[in-house]
Amino acid sequence: MTTFITRNQSYRELLDEKLKYGYIHKHIQQPLIDEAKWGLLQFLVEQDRSLTPMQRERYIITTMLVQIALDTHDLVPIKKVAETEQETLSKQLQVLSGDYYSGLYYFLLSEVGEIEFIQTLANAIREINELKMALYYKDSPTFHERINLTKKINSMLIIHVTQFLYDDTANDLITDWLILQQLELEREYNNSVIGETTINAYQKNVSNLAQTLSNQTAFITHYIQDQQNDNVKISTRL
């Protein structure tokens, strides 16, 4: 019997294969994979029994390619001072690599006629870019506004996939859980500007939201609770 762990390894190998592009990676760092989104994405897609194995594979790989493309573009530095030739080349390749990952998702889905899912991801990309414009170019956004925009940007892609497969009742839970994962990761590496009180508030909010899901998406509660329990065990061991 094929287990979830076995499928996870298979998906990871497929993703790594798609990310390989020799010339680009000689000049820029390997693309980063958001492990919280990667795990949740696989779980969400695997739970939809109406999908064929090929659809599951394509949905998981293409969605993660889009997420990596978005994250890669975010890594491009904005500098007003003169750059060296190597810095210019690195920046150009960073942009091109993000475009390369985006192009792959269109190709892989169009290859099998997944037009509706292409539209789902395209809508997510459009909304994310609109949110980024509001975050980066709005005059003096308040702290609360910045946090809300950051939360939406962080979760928008997974939210669109969840709504495509199920419904929208898990939106708030997924949004708060994903930002909580990011904050806890930043705290682990001492990079967080968010206080412990805020992190505790998000933990409480995630627990409360988990009780509000519809029957169709209640299974997400169990996944998130399991992940939170695992995080507690890891923190205890450390």
Side-chain angles (χ1 to χ4, degrees):
M1 180 182 295
T2 304
T3 65
F4 179 75
I5 293 176
T6 303
R7 292 193 298 273
N8 177 36
Q9 292 171 340
S10 176
Y11 292 141
R12 192 57 171 254
E13 289 169 2
L14 284 169
L15 181 63
D16 289 342
E17 180 184 330
K18 300 299 180 186
L19 292 174
K20 289 178 182 176
Y21 195 87
Y23 179 75
I24 288 177
H25 294 148
K26 286 180 182 177
H27 298 275
I28 64 172
Q29 68 185 58
Q30 287 288 102
L32 300 176
I33 296 174
D34 187 316
E35 298 296 342
K37 292 176 187 173
W38 173 243
L40 179 58
L41 173 64
Q42 289 180 80
F43 179 78
L44 290 169
V45 175
E46 285 285 335
Q47 297 307 302
D48 190 335
R49 302 304 180 188
S50 69
L51 300 177
T52 67
M54 176 60 75
Q55 284 178 309
R56 292 191 185 115
E57 176 187 305
R58 291 299 166 96
Y59 287 7
I60 291 168
I61 300 301
T62 55
T63 302
M64 207 61 206
L65 284 171
V66 171
Q67 184 64 62
I68 291 170
L70 292 165
D71 294 342
T72 299
H73 283 149
D74 285 343
L75 292 174
V76 178
I78 300 174
K79 295 179 68 174
K80 296 182 180 179
V81 298
E83 298 177 329
T84 66
E85 184 177 342
Q86 180 59 38
E87 286 175 332
T88 301
L89 175 62
S90 178
K91 179 186 287 188
Q92 290 171 341
L93 289 173
Q94 199 84 54
V95 173
L96 288 173
S97 62
D99 293 343
Y100 169 70
Y101 304 140
S102 294
L104 272 178
Y105 106 78
Y106 281 112
F107 171 73
L108 291 172
L109 289 176
S110 62
E111 202 176 36
V112 290
E114 290 287 351
I115 305 304
E116 288 186 19
F117 198 65
I118 289 176
Q119 189 62 52
T120 294
L121 297 183
N123 287 339
I125 293 169
R126 174 182 54 78
E127 290 188 36
I128 288 169
N129 287 333
E130 289 173 354
L131 290 167
K132 286 180 178 178
M133 291 291 288
L135 177 63
Y136 300 145
Y137 297 106
K138 182 176 180 179
D139 291 336
S140 304
T142 66
F143 178 75
H144 182 69
E145 288 173 333
R146 292 184 66 86
I147 287 293
N148 280 336
L149 287 168
T150 300
K151 283 168 53 176
K152 290 179 181 178
I153 291 168
N154 186 54
S155 62
M156 187 61 67
L157 188 62
I158 302 298
I159 289 297
H160 272 265
V161 173
T162 306
Q163 290 179 174
F164 178 82
L165 297 174
Y166 306 105
D167 60 32
D168 63 357
T169 56
N171 287 7
D172 290 341
L173 173 60
I174 289 173
T175 297
D176 276 15
W177 183 73
L178 285 176
I179 199 66
L180 175 60
Q181 301 314 294
Q182 183 176 321
L183 293 176
E184 290 180 336
L185 186 63
E186 290 175 356
R187 177 180 60 181
E188 182 180 343
Y189 290 97
N190 299 315
N191 294 325
S192 180
V193 296
I194 303 296
E196 197 69 23
T197 301
T198 302
I199 292 177
N200 290 338
Y202 273 116
Q203 290 174 334
K204 182 177 181 180
N205 204 36
V206 165
S207 296
N208 291 337
L209 287 168
Q211 310 305 316
T212 66
L213 299 192
S214 68
N215 291 333
Q216 190 178 13
T217 54
F219 65 91
I220 299 175
T221 297
H222 302 298
Y223 175 84
I224 286 178
Q225 288 174 338
D226 286 345
Q227 295 301 304
Q228 289 300 100
N229 290 337
D230 286 344
N231 287 341
V232 169
K233 291 176 184 176
I234 291 172
S235 298
T236 303
R237 287 200 296 270
L238 293 175

